[in-house]
Amino acid sequence: MRVYRVSGQFGKATDNFSEKGRVIEKTTWKHIRESDLERICAGLQAGHQKHMFTQMGIDLQSQEAYEIATRGLIKPQDGSTPPVLYSIRCVEFNPPDFVLEIHTINETCRYLASLIHHIGLHLKSSAICTKILRTKYGFWRQEDSLIEQKWNVENILENIRLCRALMRANHLEPTVLVHSSQEEERKLLSAT
């Protein structure tokens, strides 16, 4: 699982969903409230979670679904499935700018940028992605990384010791693996 802080800006649409693209549309954004953005994020998150249970052929209202959910995250068996959003929430809202924290797997930068674009469309506006920052990769956090300016033998060895300790502590979350069909993947992609 990876965690991102994705920054966006309402009011513009570009040909590549980022601020570096050619602007193809400008729209109004002053009608957007934080509660509207939170509602769209909650809907996207619920849709992705529902899809994971659907892939397993389990009714969401069943005891089996409850038991699986209490065992941990539901993850696809392989990395060839479409992106899965486990959590998406607004952490900053200063219109027209906003920042979302997204917990996901199987994503790409392009997918995250297009997600921002689609959120803008759902809010009857448009939006571009201005920044993507990965803050966590598995159980490694941004703070555990070694920046290039500190690359020397002592710091590298210390960082290796830190990483081994993290791996030994077995911070891995329990998961339930599912297998998906191509038809279910197409449905999920068309829903976003």
Side-chain angles (χ1 to χ4, degrees):
M1 166 120 32
R2 291 175 283 277
V3 179
Y4 293 88
R5 284 202 170 224
V6 182
S7 302
Q9 185 179 64
F10 292 119
K12 288 191 254 179
T14 62
D15 57 353
N16 65 359
F17 310 125
S18 77
E19 63 185 347
K20 294 179 181 175
R22 182 176 54 85
V23 175
I24 55 175
E25 180 181 37
K26 289 188 176 187
T27 56
T28 60
W29 51 267
K30 293 186 180 185
H31 63 280
I32 299 172
R33 297 183 313 244
E34 187 172 7
S35 60
D36 299 330
L37 179 57
E38 288 287 353
R39 180 180 43 82
I40 296 299
C41 290
L44 285 168
Q45 180 178 328
H48 278 260
Q49 290 172 349
K50 180 181 177 186
H51 179 71
M52 293 305 292
F53 281 100
T54 306
Q55 282 183 313
M56 295 174 70
I58 297 172
D59 179 23
L60 279 174
Q61 303 301 318
S62 68
Q63 179 67 25
E64 183 182 12
Y66 171 78
E67 290 171 5
I68 289 172
T70 59
R71 279 192 264 157
L73 293 175
I74 300 172
K75 292 184 180 178
Q77 281 185 320
D78 57 22
S80 64
T81 61
V84 178
L85 298 176
Y86 289 101
S87 173
I88 178 170
R89 65 187 184 94
C90 181
V91 292
E92 286 180 37
F93 188 75
N94 299 312
D97 301 310
F98 61 98
V99 179
L100 301 178
E101 183 177 89
I102 302 174
H103 297 240
T104 183
I105 60 171
N106 300 339
E107 79 297 329
T108 62
C109 287
R110 177 124 175 112
Y111 173 77
L112 294 172
S114 70
L115 182 66
I116 297 297
H117 171 75
H118 288 294
I119 288 171
L121 294 178
H122 283 294
L123 291 168
K124 297 179 177 40
S125 183
S126 57
I128 58 169
C129 180
T130 57
K131 181 174 159 186
I132 299 174
L133 174 67
R134 183 183 298 151
T135 59
K136 191 173 179 190
Y137 189 96
F139 49 84
W140 277 285
R141 300 163 303 156
Q142 182 180 1
E143 298 84 38
D144 301 326
S145 61
L146 188 60
I147 59 174
E148 190 173 359
Q149 291 85 358
K150 296 193 176 191
W151 286 1
N152 61 44
V153 174
E154 292 146 17
N155 288 341
I156 291 173
L157 290 174
E158 180 58 34
N159 196 261
I160 289 171
R161 281 190 280 280
L162 169 73
C163 291
R164 282 188 183 153
L166 285 172
M167 290 171 50
R168 255 185 257 120
N170 195 7
H171 286 76
L172 297 177
E173 300 160 339
T175 60
V176 178
L177 301 176
V178 289
H179 184 69
S180 66
S181 70
Q182 289 182 345
E183 181 61 30
E184 290 166 340
E185 291 172 13
R186 276 191 228 105
K187 287 179 187 175
L188 179 64
L189 288 173
S190 64
T192 57

